[in-house]
Amino acid sequence: MDFGISLQSLFLSDVAAFMSGALATAAMFGARYRRRAAAAASHRNDARPGWLEHGPDGILVFDAALSCTFASASMVRLLGEEAETYIGQTLDDLVGEEQVAAGEAVARVRAGRPGAETLFRTTRPTGEPLWVEMRIRAAPTDGTIIASLRDISTRKTAELALRVANLELNRLAGSDGLTDLANRRRFDQALEGECRRASRNNTPVSLLLIDVDRFKAFNDHYGHQAGDTCLKLIAGTLQATAARTSDVVARFGGEEFALLLPGLDERAAATMAAEAHAAVLALSRPHVRNPDAGGIVTVSVGCATVQPTPDTFKDIGGTLIAAADRALYDAKRLGRNRVVAPALQEEAEREAEWSAAADARLGRLDALRSLGALRETPSLNRIARMATMLLGLPGAFITVLDHDGVVVVGHHGMGDGPNAPPQALCETLVGARRPVVVRAPATDAQFGSFAAEQGLGFLAVAPLLSDDDLQHLGGLWVVDRQSRDAFDEPKRMLLSRLAALAMEDIEGRHRASVAQAA
């Protein structure tokens, strides 16, 4: 019995809740219906002047809550809907996406301005798009808003067409007629703007000047029409190379192109220059009058970078062009078909210096070997033994870095003799002027493989440096299978002195052999 009463109570409570919700919803819709009906009745009974009803503009009146209470008969001509359709609509319903702008206009007139304007887009029932200009003013007493609406679609269409035409005209005025790249005028404007921006942001600006090699000879051989086709092909290739939207690719003049690269430093610009050069080579465009490059079209590229400041940005554009032009001239002078850039030049100079040093070192070794100075001797074994005794380590060996590998010329405490370190490992030590000490070589990126193979827990190596020109010819190594504390400065100096003693022994035998031969 109690269970039945509970079900009945639950059922009655659910019905009550449902009825309560339904009544609330009905009351809400009823209030909205009554409000719209009242507004419609007010609209029917509203005696407005004839010019307001039938003037050229559509008229809407909104109450203080911005709900429409009156719509003129001319609204049907303007928007294609009967006037009563708008009764009860809010201003937001009318303007759609332009609610913020309309709300700001209302706020201005309620703040005391005599009037305000806003625009919005809508469509007629036929689907035809419509631009509407709405001018509003506020009644001084009750907060009523009066809106005057006018069709300005024809004007807006004309304005948009004019804007498109102006954009196209500006594009044509700033474009090269043959390649469709930026012309010199647009390039100069972009250069000034990017230098100004770079001075504010403290960023670099780079420029590539690119010239087609022997292009006059190309035109003479293939004809000017083929020359134009070639220029358009190169222009498209350069445009594809400059992937960033901020990069500006321009026809600088004749067969010369420019790439303006905002924000790129010297090394990044040099990389871009190399990519542009390679992309043109990849075209494999025939050019029989360019035999030095294999009979294909090539380009020379000059690269420059500047860092504008607030005081120099106005003049820095000319400086950048002059620097890139000098680099381009150097590329032509050095034989064409190449890139000249500060970053690449510094790298080339470093490589040349390294190559010269390597040649000198190997030449010195050749001279020592020819007179028998690069072989294991008792004196070098004694120096290795001195190293183990003075530094308190169980093993030491002396190596020379030769053309084809590493030669052990002295050792002590390594049983039958140590395995020589790999040539690649010894080459990484070339250029060192002080001992290199490794407390845990098995975990070191450079020494790990050799240390694991030899079972080493500690090693130190001092370079063998020639007396006169400090050429790095080899090293004196001291090792232990156990881990040790790092050498202090006196031990490092002692290891360096022992390495110098080994070098004196090798060069002394060389001098003796020379004297004996004389």
Side-chain angles (χ1 to χ4, degrees):
M1 184 63 178
D2 291 341
F3 179 71
I5 292 174
S6 298
L7 284 179
Q8 183 179 13
S9 299
L10 180 62
F11 173 74
L12 290 176
S13 64
D14 285 347
V15 170
F18 172 77
M19 291 301 295
S20 176
L23 289 173
T25 302
M28 180 183 67
F29 280 103
R32 181 177 297 177
Y33 174 78
R34 287 192 299 273
R35 187 169 60 250
R36 290 182 67 109
S42 173
H43 169 69
R44 286 192 298 270
N45 297 326
D46 196 356
R48 304 279 176 171
W51 63 267
L52 192 62
E53 279 284 2
H54 305 290
D57 296 345
I59 303 297
L60 297 176
V61 179
F62 297 88
D63 61 18
L66 298 182
S67 178
C68 183
T69 60
F70 172 83
S72 66
S74 52
M75 287 296 296
V76 70
R77 182 175 66 253
L78 178 66
L79 300 183
E81 297 279 6
E82 293 294 336
E84 291 191 359
T85 305
Y86 301 98
I87 304 305
Q89 285 192 15
T90 65
L91 181 62
D92 286 349
D93 295 334
L94 178 69
V95 300
E97 296 179 355
E98 301 299 326
Q99 294 176 5
V100 173
E104 291 174 350
V106 170
R108 289 196 295 272
V109 296
R110 283 182 169 171
R113 288 189 56 175
E117 296 180 0
T118 187
L119 303 180
F120 65 92
R121 293 187 64 183
T122 186
T123 55
R124 291 192 173 95
T126 59
E128 178 186 1
L130 182 68
W131 276 98
V132 178
E133 178 184 70
M134 183 169 64
R135 300 181 179 182
I136 64 174
R137 62 184 180 85
T141 55
D142 58 359
T144 299
I145 297 295
I146 302 173
S148 172
L149 288 74
R150 177 172 296 180
D151 179 1
I152 60 167
S153 299
T154 302
R155 189 184 84 194
K156 290 296 293 184
T157 300
E159 288 176 356
L160 291 174
L162 181 61
R163 184 178 302 174
V164 170
N166 285 333
L167 290 174
E168 180 64 13
L169 183 61
N170 288 335
R171 187 190 70 80
L172 293 174
S175 297
D176 175 63
L178 176 65
T179 63
D180 205 33
L181 297 178
N183 60 15
R184 181 60 185 271
R185 173 176 172 271
R186 183 169 148 210
F187 168 83
D188 289 341
Q189 292 172 344
L191 177 61
E192 181 181 353
E194 292 301 340
C195 287
R196 187 188 302 273
R197 184 178 296 108
S199 71
R200 292 196 304 266
N201 300 334
N202 193 29
T203 55
V205 179
S206 293
L207 174 65
L208 311 183
L209 288 183
I210 303 170
D211 189 79
V212 184
D213 295 327
R214 296 188 171 92
F215 188 70
K216 183 179 183 302
F218 184 96
N219 273 341
D220 292 343
H221 184 82
Y222 294 99
H224 288 278
Q225 187 172 358
D228 289 348
T229 301
C230 179
L231 290 178
K232 287 191 282 189
L233 183 62
I234 292 175
T237 301
L238 297 178
Q239 188 73 72
T241 302
R244 303 182 309 162
T245 56
S246 59
D247 298 339
V248 178
V249 186
R251 187 180 181 191
F252 202 66
E255 66 273 17
E256 196 170 355
F257 299 90
L259 267 70
L260 181 61
L261 307 171
L264 292 193
D265 59 17
E266 288 184 348
R267 187 159 296 279
T271 300
M272 178 70 80
E275 291 176 359
H277 177 262
V280 175
L281 280 179
L283 296 174
S284 298
R285 188 78 174 180
H287 186 355
V288 297
R289 302 287 293 274
N290 192 24
D292 295 342
I296 62 173
V297 171
T298 60
V299 293
S300 299
V301 185
C303 179
T305 302
V306 294
Q307 182 85 38
T309 67
D311 297 329
T312 65
F313 78 89
K314 291 182 179 179
D315 303 320
I316 205 70
T319 302
L320 179 60
I321 292 175
D325 194 53
R326 286 194 300 271
L328 177 59
Y329 173 80
D330 288 342
K332 292 285 190 180
R333 179 177 56 82
L334 294 171
R336 301 181 176 88
N337 187 27
R338 68 191 63 231
V339 175
V340 170
L344 296 180
Q345 188 172 357
E346 291 173 5
E347 184 174 337
E349 290 173 354
R350 286 194 298 270
E351 289 178 357
E353 184 179 348
W354 178 271
S355 178
D359 290 343
R361 181 179 65 81
L362 293 174
R364 188 65 166 267
L365 288 171
D366 288 339
L368 293 173
R369 187 188 310 100
S370 67
L371 297 174
L374 295 185
R375 66 178 186 272
E376 185 174 346
T377 64
S379 59
L380 291 175
N381 287 337
R382 283 196 295 272
I383 292 174
R385 180 171 178 270
M386 288 174 58
T388 60
M389 293 175 60
L390 295 173
L391 295 171
L393 277 85
F397 55 95
I398 303 169
T399 61
V400 173
L401 179 59
D402 205 352
H403 285 272
D404 302 322
V406 179
V407 180
V408 176
V409 295
H411 72 278
H412 179 77
M414 304 296 291
D416 295 332
N419 292 327
Q423 182 175 359
L425 173 59
C426 293
E427 287 176 347
T428 64
L429 299 173
V430 173
R433 293 291 179 263
R434 290 174 51 81
V436 176
V437 180
V438 187
R439 293 180 58 187
T443 61
D444 188 272
Q446 285 183 308
F447 298 91
S449 178
F450 173 67
E453 179 184 338
Q454 300 293 315
L456 302 178
F458 175 88
L459 68 83
V461 55
L464 300 184
L465 303 176
S466 58
D467 287 339
D468 50 1
D469 54 2
L470 297 180
Q471 291 293 333
H472 187 124
L473 302 182
L476 168 58
W477 302 69
V478 289
V479 297
D480 194 350
R481 300 191 187 283
Q482 304 297 322
S483 179
R484 287 177 170 266
D485 293 335
F487 276 8
D488 56 18
E489 190 60 26
K491 286 186 176 181
R492 290 173 183 266
M493 293 179 62
L494 180 58
L495 183 60
S496 292
R497 185 68 190 93
L498 290 168
L501 187 62
M503 194 70 247
E504 288 174 7
D505 179 86
I506 294 172
E507 291 189 325
R509 282 183 286 116
H510 173 254
R511 286 191 293 270
S513 298
V514 171
Q516 185 177 0

